[in-house]
Amino acid sequence: ALGDATSFGKFIASWCEIAQKKPLSSIPDHTRHLRARSSPKYQPSLDQTFMKCTMKEIQNMPMNHVLLKRLYHIEASSIDMLQKLASLNGVKRTKIEAFSAYVWKIMIGTIDERHKTCKMGWLVDGRERMGRGKNLMSNYIGNVLSLAFGEASIQELKEASISEIAKTVHEAISKVNNEDHFLDLIDWIECHRPGLMLAKAVLGQEGPTLVVSSGQRFPVKEVDFGFGSPLLGTVYTSIQRVGVGYMMRIPKLPKYRD
């Protein structure tokens, strides 16, 4: 994709400001920051995660026979409780790590018995990582997303506690949540151009997989075209074929806190 969810959120926020005749709070950055290094190189693990593909492979990816889209309401107190369960022995896990650990543990009840392992994935925004935490790319318009994946056996997930699974989640995300990974990913893309490139799991080649994304930065409270803000903002896609399950956490407006 030419733009990711962060870019779309910036676009929506700017559109609302223009509609209300307000000055733009951020100026879109269209500079091409993401260039391959002069001598491209990358870790071999990227070849295990991503692949070059054809449109035919995308159109023929294996699909589950049941397609469901659901919206759940989760109390903030429940997320806080999960975070406490995931944070033991002086180690504090993030809310997304704790939530992912819980979802990963319960999702095994829906997996066909012929599968011995399953995966969970997380979308990671590289803006802060490429900017070394200095927010230099906060207004960058483009696609700076990568995917982290963790894999575990069904039996391991049945027996593990929430804190143990949260540790696995943390370790998987940490491998991608850094500048070196994104530099390698840019080089990997450069070495495989031109053409389409996707994660193998998204093409349905890695077995049961659920991808979790945090929509905490989606500017729900800033969305106002002049007739009030929404109570809830969520994501809709018309894509009919995808080889993974997808879950996004979206906050309600602050006054509702859930």
Side-chain angles (χ1 to χ4, degrees), residues 11-100:
F11 169 74
I12 290 292
S14 296
W15 187 2
C16 291
E17 290 170 344
I18 292 171
Q20 297 186 64
K21 295 181 171 55
K22 293 181 178 180
L24 293 180
S25 58
S26 62
I27 304 301
D29 179 4
H30 295 283
T31 307
R32 298 297 90 188
H33 294 286
L34 308 181
R35 293 191 178 96
R37 290 169 285 199
S38 57
S39 298
K41 59 181 180 179
Y42 58 86
Q43 293 294 323
S45 58
L46 286 175
D47 285 325
Q48 305 303 315
T49 303
F50 300 98
M51 64 176 287
K52 188 172 181 177
C53 60
T54 64
M55 184 57 70
K56 184 176 181 180
E57 287 174 312
I58 294 175
Q59 293 170 342
N60 294 329
M61 72 174 68
M63 290 284 293
N64 194 318
H65 294 299
V66 180
L67 294 177
L68 293 175
K69 293 181 181 180
R70 290 177 174 170
L71 182 65
Y72 294 94
H73 170 81
I74 302 173
E75 297 286 343
S77 58
S78 297
I79 299 295
D80 292 340
M81 180 188 68
L82 286 175
Q83 190 174 24
K84 289 180 180 179
L85 290 174
S87 304
L88 297 179
N89 302 319
V91 178
K92 186 174 182 179
R93 300 302 180 194
T94 65
K95 286 182 170 62
I96 196 69
E97 289 170 345
F99 177 71
S100 297

Side-chain angles (χ1 to χ4, degrees), residues 17-18 23 48 53 55 59 69 83 93 122 131 133 136 140 146 149 186 205 217 219 221 247:
E17 290 170 344
I18 292 171
Q48 305 303 315
C53 60
M55 184 57 70
Q59 293 170 342
K69 293 181 181 180
Q83 190 174 24
R93 300 302 180 194
W122 300 270
L136 299 177
Y140 179 77
S146 186
F149 287 101
I186 293 168
Q205 298 188 8
R217 296 182 182 179
K221 62 181 180 180
M247 178 179 289

